[in-house]
């Protein structure tokens, strides 16, 4: 169950513009460590009163530390709530999703979808598929797919992570261990040639490792901002990934390292 402060924040994020502004503030604080209220106001073109209200909301979520005259970052690796993450890089995610679905068989097939905003875009792109089964531990994705006539949904059990709305733990892992999947479609907080596919939460990573282990192939879908990033916990080794679908904003040097590691790279916005 979401905390009251999370529900309150989501209720107030009624427009994509405000959600994007909150994410921009988080990015500023993360990059600089400490940011003055005046700098936030100047850089984002908002009033001091608006910046102050946004900082208070983010502090209530334990995403920043409110200071006199500004804000400071928490420890590295803290997560942006799913309600805010869904506003980032939307066009890139739509293109990545379409590129992923084009690479799936049009007839009967089984895929596994991890949680995440890019994999949620893949779920939306499955609307017209005629006969596909999706195994997922994501409440968000299961809800998105529930109205599609050609899609059957198999959900795992597990404990709910409020930050990502995913079911994790031994019950989720046992579901993935019990099924055979054609393609595991994996979202990520980071992918690099040295660290593999990573996420912020170790329990989530362990659940996704079970998904990858039973799939015939694994495809990572991630916008360019994730390429070269390394988060806390590994979900898959580089050698387990057949393909990465991303966009041309990704660092070319990092993409080349992934190619050299044997991963096929698809730039969705150049197809």
């Amino acid at each position: 169950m979401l905390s009251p402060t999370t529900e309150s924040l989501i209720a107030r994020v009624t427009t994509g513009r405000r959600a994007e502004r909150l994410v921009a503030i988080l990015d500023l604080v993360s990059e600089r460590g400490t940011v003055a209220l005046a700098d936030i106001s100047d850089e984002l073109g908002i009033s001091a009163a608006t910046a102050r209200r946004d900082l208070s909301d983010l502090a209530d979520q334990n995403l920043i530390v409110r200071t006199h005259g500004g804000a400071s970052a928490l420890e590295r690796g803290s997560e942006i709530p799913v309600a805010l993450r869904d506003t980032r890089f939307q066009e890139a995610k739509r293109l990545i999703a379409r590129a992923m679905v084009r690479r799936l068989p049009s007839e009967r097939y089984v895929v596994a979808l991890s949680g995440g905003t890019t994999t949620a875009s893949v779920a939306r792109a499955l609307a017209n598929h005629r006969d596909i089964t999706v195994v997922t531990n994501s409440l968000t994705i299961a809800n998105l797919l529930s109205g599609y006539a050609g899609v059957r949904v198999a959900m795992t059990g597990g404990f709910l992570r409020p930050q990502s709305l995913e079911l994790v733990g031994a019950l989720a892992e046992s579901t993935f261990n019990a099924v055979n999947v054609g393609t595991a479609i994996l979202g990520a907080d980071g992918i690099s040639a040295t660290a593999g596919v990573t996420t912020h939460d170790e329990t989530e990573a362990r659940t996704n490792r079970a998904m990858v282990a039973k799939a015939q192939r694994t495809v990572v879908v991630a916008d360019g901002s994730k390429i070269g990033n390394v988060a806390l916990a590994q979900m898959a080794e580089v050698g387990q990934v057949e393909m990465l679908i991303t966009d041309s904003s990704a660092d070319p040097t990092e993409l080349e390292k992934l190619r050299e590691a044997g991963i096929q790279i698809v730039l969705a916005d150049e197809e």
Side-chain angles (χ1 to χ4, degrees), residues 34-38 40 55 64-72:
T34 300
V35 182
L37 180 69
I40 293 172
L55 290 178
I64 61 169
V65 176
R66 193 75 166 86
T67 64
H68 179 70
S72 295

Side-chain angles (χ1 to χ4, degrees), residues 9 13 16-60 63-67 69-74 78 80-81 84 87-88:
L9 176 60
V13 179
R17 181 175 299 176
R18 180 161 195 254
E20 290 173 2
R21 189 174 73 241
L22 292 173
V23 171
I25 292 171
L26 288 173
D27 286 341
L28 282 174
V29 175
S30 176
E31 289 169 6
R32 302 181 187 180
T34 300
V35 182
L37 180 69
D39 291 339
I40 293 172
S41 179
D42 291 343
E43 296 204 27
L44 300 186
I46 59 177
S47 68
T50 297
R52 193 175 294 111
R53 184 172 64 251
D54 288 346
L55 290 178
S56 294
D57 282 339
L58 294 171
D60 286 344
L63 295 171
I64 61 169
V65 176
R66 193 75 166 86
T67 64
S72 295
L74 296 175
S78 58
I80 297 174
L84 300 182
T87 66
R88 309 183 83 187

Side-chain angles (χ1 to χ4, degrees), residues 32 74 96 100 111 115 117 120 143 148 151 157 187 191 248 258 263:
R32 302 181 187 180
L74 296 175
I96 290 167
M100 179 70 254
V111 301
T117 55
N143 184 56
Y148 298 163
V151 181
I191 177 171
S248 58
L258 290 166
I263 297 177

Side-chain angles (χ1 to χ4, degrees), residues 157-187:
F159 290 94
L160 178 65
R161 285 194 73 233
Q163 300 94 326
S164 62
L165 298 181
E166 291 173 69
L167 299 168
V168 297
L171 290 173
E173 293 163 32
S174 66
T175 302
F176 286 123
N177 289 332
V179 297
N180 294 307
V181 170
T183 300
I185 303 171
L186 202 57

Side-chain angles (χ1 to χ4, degrees), residues 126-204:
L126 289 171
N128 296 318
H129 201 286
R130 292 193 291 266
D131 188 2
I132 193 165
T133 297
V134 176
V135 187
T136 186
N137 64 323
S138 166
L139 300 184
T140 301
I141 287 173
N143 184 56
L144 284 170
L145 294 171
S146 62
Y148 298 163
V151 181
R152 291 179 295 174
V153 180
M155 283 215 68
T156 72
F159 290 94
L160 178 65
R161 285 194 73 233
Q163 300 94 326
S164 62
L165 298 181
E166 291 173 69
L167 299 168
V168 297
L171 290 173
E173 293 163 32
S174 66
T175 302
F176 286 123
N177 289 332
V179 297
N180 294 307
V181 170
T183 300
I185 303 171
L186 202 57
D189 292 311
I191 177 171
S192 73
T194 54
V197 189
T198 56
T199 189
H200 291 298
D201 184 78
E202 195 279 332
T203 306
E204 182 180 316

